[in-house]
Amino acid sequence: MSVNDQVAHLPPRAMRLADGMVWIPGVTFTMGSDHHYPEEAPARPVTVSGFWIDPRPVTNRQFGQFVHKTRYVTMAERAPDPSGYPGARPEMLVPFSVVFVAPRRRVSLADPHNWWTPVTGADWRHPQGPGSSIRSKPDHPVVHIAWADALAYANWAGKAIPSEAEWELAARGGLNGAEYAWGNELTPGGRWMANTWQGEFPIYDTGEDGYQGTSPVGSYPANGYGLYDMIGNVWEWTSDWYTSHPAEANGCCSGPNDDVDAARSADRRDPARIPRKVMKGGSHLCAPNYCRRYRPAARMAQPTDTSTSHLGIRLILRPAEPA
Ligand SMILES: [Ca+2]
Ligand SMILES: [Cu+2]
């Protein structure tokens, strides 16, 4: 299908649900890319049925309403269950979440521990750890959300977490095969289209795009489907179990092989063998010198038990199956 055909399928403005969800028409599109990281290849046709999607990631204010109503306690606020972590030292089994901390000087880019720090007391209300707050960030995307938290919120909202294919189709905004969610140029006419990192990662972010760290959702232009922040700001959970090569994945995200796929998604070097989901969209930490994942095709593995300061959620709604 050509780009023009796809644009003809853009949803009319009227096709929005009362809460602003946007209709993404079912289509066959080119998923993945052959021009970047190996885990994105091969570019291949994938067919997705139509669905509704939230135009923005879930914000701190929205997540706060959920917590207020349900008294839900996120994974980052609970001590890990020792049975899931054989051999872990007791002092490690305390509530924590993973926070990006910029090192003071140049470090090896080969070891993410040089900038990712487990912080006790870091959670969605305290994104940088104890002493930090979200008081000035009601409209920023919620972060420090583990997979179980994402599911709990989705269930409460009566919505679902998108599959990787649904997410990528939505992110492409009707531009089939484009590099970015807005076309083939990172900064068309010099304009920043998403919240990413400028300058040398991980030492110093110049914030040339207007923001260091997260930004209020909707601060950058929407894509062709009217969706904000699909790229940059925070990564977003998808429901697919991670495989290093998309062609290995089953056609469907759940079913009789779900347990097998979950087990296979774990990192072999991880003694606890925590299963990993695919996250999409890149974040405010994606930088040209380290991680050019501010593109719809980009993907990373995220252990389901781990929450971080640059990962949030966006929900979808699938139409009811015809009886
Ligand atoms: Ca930025
Ligand atoms: Cu990145």
Side-chain angles (χ1 to χ4, degrees), residues 194-198 205-213 215 220 284-285:
N195 182 2
T196 59
W197 175 294
Q198 294 84 48
D205 178 2
T206 65
E208 195 187 317
D209 61 17
Y211 293 92
Q212 296 162 317
S215 46
Y220 295 84
H284 59 274
L285 298 179

Side-chain angles (χ1 to χ4, degrees), residues 46-288:
V46 171
T47 303
V48 171
S49 304
F51 59 95
W52 300 93
I53 189 166
D54 283 337
R56 297 171 181 81
V58 174
T59 62
N60 286 320
R61 178 185 285 126
Q62 290 172 313
F63 197 80
Q65 287 163 354
F66 159 63
V67 168
H68 180 74
K69 291 249 166 68
T70 62
R71 305 281 151 209
Y72 182 79
V73 178
T74 61
M75 299 298 283
E77 301 164 279
R78 306 183 213 169
D81 177 357
S83 68
Y85 303 87
R89 285 169 298 156
E91 66 267 28
M92 298 301 291
L93 296 173
V94 295
F96 74 93
S97 192
V98 181
V99 177
F100 172 83
V101 180
R104 282 168 195 276
R105 55 186 74 84
R106 204 163 280 172
V107 292
S108 163
L109 290 178
D111 185 1
H113 293 101
N114 284 325
W115 52 88
W116 285 119
T117 310
V119 175
T120 295
D123 57 43
W124 73 275
R125 285 189 191 86
H126 309 94
Q128 308 309 126
S132 66
S133 96
I134 54 170
R135 216 166 299 135
S136 63
K137 300 179 175 176
D139 297 321
H140 286 231
V142 67
V143 290
H144 296 297
I145 297 298
W147 173 247
D149 306 325
L151 277 186
Y153 182 86
N155 288 340
W156 175 76
K159 299 182 183 179
I161 309 286
S163 70
E164 180 178 7
E166 287 166 333
W167 191 98
E168 185 167 328
L169 169 64
R172 290 183 174 281
L175 300 172
N176 198 29
E179 292 281 299
Y180 302 104
W182 47 84
N184 285 315
E185 256 185 280
L186 178 59
T187 54
R191 185 174 188 190
W192 289 100
M193 302 297 283
N195 182 2
T196 59
W197 175 294
Q198 294 84 48
E200 186 182 337
F201 182 88
I203 307 168
Y204 185 67
D205 178 2
T206 65
E208 195 187 317
D209 61 17
Y211 293 92
Q212 296 162 317
T214 57
S215 46
V217 300
S219 297
Y220 295 84
N223 75 2
Y225 286 139
L227 309 178
Y228 296 91
D229 295 280
M230 291 301 294
I231 300 300
N233 209 356
V234 294
W235 288 90
E236 297 175 12
W237 283 106
T238 77
S239 61
D240 284 38
W241 294 115
Y242 184 81
T243 54
S244 54
H245 198 276
E248 294 169 17
N250 288 339
C252 184
C253 49
S254 62
N257 284 328
D258 199 46
D259 289 345
V260 178
D261 293 338
R264 265 205 297 240
S265 75
D267 186 336
R268 278 154 226 247
R269 294 161 298 181
D270 170 15
R273 293 290 177 104
I274 303 297
R276 298 180 299 172
K277 294 281 185 183
V278 175
M279 62 178 189
K280 296 285 276 186
S283 81
H284 59 274
L285 298 179
C286 291

Side-chain angles (χ1 to χ4, degrees), residues 37 201 235 282-283 285-287 290-294 300 310:
Y37 298 106
F201 182 88
W235 288 90
S283 81
L285 298 179
C286 291
Y290 177 66
C291 171
R292 299 179 310 280
R293 291 195 171 85
Y294 26 66
M300 276 192 100
H310 76 156

